[in-house]
Amino acid sequence: KAGMNDDPHHGHRDIGHFVIYWQGEYFIQDIGRRGSYDEKYFDEARFDYPQASSIGHNVLYVNGEKQISGKLYKQPYNYDVGGEVIEFITTEEQDYVIMDPTNAYPKKELKKWRRLVLLDKPEITLLLDEVQANPGALIEVRFHPGVDYKVEGDLALLEGEEGKMAIIPMINQEYHIKPGRHASQFVNATKDFFWVDYIDTEVKAKDEKTIISTLVLPVSDVEEAREIATSRKMTTDGSGNLSVSFSSGGKEFVFEFVNSNEGLMLKK
């Protein structure tokens, strides 16, 4: 999801957001599916709801900085607020999109963000985030699981009714995976209070630019997920070109990205 953030009625602060649907279930979900509407959802309190705020979407944050809207309740439009789809390509083997959600943020903490989402068909997803921020800044990459999950050390296991998937970060520095949850209560008295779970990958920026890769793919159990995690590699050459690789099911996967003035692009 990327585009202008100027819809005051149905627009959410969700620039850079994505979902993963597999085996009839949302393994990475949009939490608005469990939402509802009430009289406060369409007034000035709208973006306090996690269903509309960027905190409730699968995006990222630098030092907790949230996205802003190009249209607030009873306020004029700001057409400079939003993101952009840089490139989209679909083939029989792969689909991928490059998004730049930078202008959906105040840009006080997050200086620039490019997100590449690659689907290696039929069921392997690679997420590549290039984040520019001040050294020492806390970067959080957020995922909302739509199935049961467990944090297993440096990865997370998603457990659906018909299969399992793993979230495996690929970062060339120390990181932490932390679970969290949103409180959700609509004013409408017919809707019960409920919690919404999320998973954050947290990393402290060492330099002005941080590259965070995340692999999401099917696994049979946590042991297989750990084997894949052990095989993961992310290397950068002197020109800034990036190679991401791992082994799964006896096969080695290698994805190469070429550096440009704007950022990384999938090598063609």
Side-chain angles (χ1 to χ4, degrees):
K1 175 80 181 286
M4 302 315 296
N5 216 357
D6 58 4
D7 186 336
H9 298 293
H10 294 280
H12 291 176
R13 295 177 179 176
D14 58 358
I15 309 303
H17 179 65
F18 75 102
V19 300
I20 294 179
Y21 185 80
W22 181 67
Q23 298 286 63
E25 295 180 275
Y26 282 98
F27 278 71
I28 305 294
Q29 69 165 332
D30 185 315
I31 70 169
R33 296 187 311 111
R34 286 192 61 197
S36 181
Y37 295 140
D38 60 29
E39 58 268 34
K40 305 301 293 182
Y41 196 77
F42 293 102
D43 69 12
E44 65 273 10
R46 175 175 182 77
F47 295 108
D48 293 334
Y49 290 78
Q51 286 81 2
S53 170
S54 61
I55 66 168
H57 289 90
N58 305 314
V59 296
L60 63 75
Y61 320 90
V62 176
N63 288 337
E65 184 178 58
K66 296 180 288 188
Q67 293 185 11
I68 57 178
S69 177
K71 179 65 174 75
L72 297 177
Y73 183 69
K74 294 184 179 180
Q75 297 296 317
Y77 281 89
N78 181 346
Y79 292 103
D80 294 328
V81 176
E84 181 182 3
V85 174
I86 304 299
E87 184 174 19
F88 173 72
I89 292 179
T90 180
T91 69
E92 291 184 1
E93 294 79 25
Q94 293 177 333
D95 291 345
Y96 91 101
V97 61
I98 300 175
M99 301 177 282
D100 186 339
T102 306
N103 287 331
Y105 291 80
K107 294 184 285 189
K108 295 179 180 179
E109 303 291 341
L110 183 150
K111 309 302 182 185
K112 185 176 180 179
W113 173 30
R114 275 169 60 102
R115 165 165 278 184
L116 189 152
V117 184
L118 170 66
L119 173 64
D120 192 66
K121 298 176 180 179
E123 53 197 10
I124 295 176
T125 300
L126 180 66
L127 193 67
L128 184 65
D129 291 311
E130 296 178 84
V131 187
Q132 293 184 21
N134 292 330
L138 175 64
I139 302 171
E140 299 167 273
V141 184
R142 181 158 295 177
F143 307 94
H144 290 85
V147 295
D148 291 339
Y149 78 96
K150 295 179 182 177
V151 173
E152 300 280 358
D154 61 351
L155 58 85
L157 188 68
L158 308 177
E159 301 187 54
E161 294 184 2
E162 301 295 332
K164 299 180 178 65
M165 293 188 118
I167 298 176
I168 304 175
M170 306 174 76
I171 311 169
N172 286 335
Q173 64 182 84
E174 183 181 9
Y175 69 87
H176 301 280
I177 296 183
K178 294 185 177 181
R181 57 184 185 172
H182 308 290
S184 185
Q185 176 66 74
F186 288 89
V187 175
N188 187 333
T190 63
K191 298 294 181 180
D192 293 332
F193 171 89
F194 61 94
W195 292 102
V196 180
D197 291 325
Y198 63 84
I199 304 167
D200 276 353
T201 299
E202 296 186 354
V203 59
K204 284 285 187 75
K206 288 186 175 181
D207 303 301
E208 291 186 356
K209 183 177 180 179
T210 303
I211 298 176
I212 302 171
S213 296
T214 308
L215 180 64
V216 185
L217 78 172
V219 295
S220 57
D221 50 35
V222 68
E223 285 73 24
E224 182 183 4
R226 288 184 177 132
E227 288 180 7
I228 296 170
T230 300
S231 72
R232 62 189 160 174
K233 293 181 182 177
M234 190 172 74
T235 58
T236 305
D237 66 17
S239 299
N241 301 317
L242 179 73
S243 176
V244 176
S245 64
F246 62 93
S247 297
S248 175
K251 179 182 177 181
E252 184 177 9
F253 294 84
V254 180
F255 302 101
E256 296 184 339
F257 303 90
V258 179
N259 191 31
S260 68
N261 291 334
E262 296 300 318
L264 294 167
M265 304 181 69
L266 185 66
K267 185 176 180 180
K268 301 174 182 177

